[in-house]
Amino acid sequence: MESPEPMSPSSSSSGYRQQHGAAERPSETAALRALVDRVRGGEVEAAREVRRLTRASARHRRKLAAAVEPLVAMLRSGAPDGAGEAALLALLNLAVRDERNKIKILDAGALEPLLDYLQSSDLNLQEYATAAILTLSASSTNKPIISASGAIPLLVKVLKEGNPQAKNDAVLALYNLSTIADNLQTILSVQPIPPLLELLRCGKRSSKTTDKCCALLESLLAFDHGRVALTSEEGGVLTIVEVLEEGSLQGREHAVGALLTMCESDRSKYRDPILNEGAIPSLLELTAHGTPKSRVKAHALLDLLRNSPYSRSKLQPNTLENIVSNIASQIDGEDRGGKAKKMLAEMVKVSMEQSLRHLQRRASFA
């Protein structure tokens, strides 16, 4: 799965950009070399000019790759007058959508000062550093290096305490690093579940951040202490169910995957919490209208939810249990969408009392 990286921060236009898209001219080459020399001389305004030129120009990112080392030196120097911030933002723009520059920036020694900025009391600098870590972590070459640097606990701290944009970028960076399986235990060790749930509750249900947040949760819930952390949070399962109801196609796919992972790990423990949060209607819809993976996962979860440890004769007719018990066999026909809608209507009619209780629980978290 492709690792996400942020858009570069906005900046003003530049005279150099008038030549963007045109054939390179000797005068432009000389001007860019002179600009790199100015960066080597420690000029803050030169770093800002690199940032402006590389904001939206892949060509300038290539032509100004020579500025990486002096910008990292400026970043590491801790010089006053905004030099660190200017260097950081220029490096961020140089790295966006440029794999070679991503690797070059880390090779030049940028990681140590970036980790320092992650701990800055200046929330703007912390935000920029988080965006830079996110961008650099999109490179498969960089992921092991960033993982070994101690960045994960700092990113979770940003997830807990940073400004809104930094929190969004932190969860995307953590998702990137979570694709290395050994990092999942490290992430779990610094208690990420509560801030991840808070991000889901406060953010847009259908967004890239929500999608990656649910993908990260799906991976973390493969571990017992991840599941315990989720269910220990009041409304934790409900938060996942709400993404199941209102998220994007990708978000819903990861949400059903998270619930399925829980139920597969210990059906007797997690079946009732999932049912009690009203997951069934959305699961029915996914069997007809979800992504291919969502349909498979929804079928599997419905199957786990329908099976009862009791004989059928002990169940009261027309209970939610009886309706769910027939789902898997009834939705396999050609008209799955129509059947799912019919069963959904029946379920809403039969489970009014449960739905009311579910709505009351939601109101308590509003």
Side-chain angles (χ1 to χ4, degrees), residues 201 205 234-247 252 259 273-283 354-366:
R201 292 184 186 116
R205 295 284 187 269
E234 192 170 11
V237 175
L238 173 61
T239 301
I240 304 297
V241 170
E242 287 178 334
V243 177
L244 187 68
E245 294 172 343
E246 303 171 11
R252 298 178 77 190
L259 296 174
I274 294 171
L275 282 174
N276 290 340
E277 298 300 357
I280 296 296
S282 294
L283 291 174
Q354 182 188 20
S355 296
L356 177 60
R357 188 163 58 250
H358 177 52
L359 290 172
Q360 289 170 340
R361 279 178 56 79
R362 285 192 175 190
S364 69
F365 294 111

Side-chain angles (χ1 to χ4, degrees), residues 133-156:
I133 295 291
L134 166 57
T135 303
L136 296 172
S137 69
S139 164
S140 59
T141 302
N142 288 344
K143 286 180 186 180
I145 302 170
I146 297 172
S147 301
S149 72
I152 286 174
L154 299 179
L155 288 168
V156 173

Side-chain angles (χ1 to χ4, degrees), residues 75-108:
L75 185 69
R76 295 175 64 91
S77 70
D81 302 325
E85 179 179 334
L88 195 164
L89 291 171
L91 288 166
L92 176 55
N93 281 4
L94 280 164
V96 171
R97 300 187 183 90
D98 193 303
E99 179 73 9
R100 284 180 289 179
N101 280 350
K102 286 181 176 69
I103 296 169
K104 190 172 185 178
I105 288 167
L106 233 57
D107 286 346

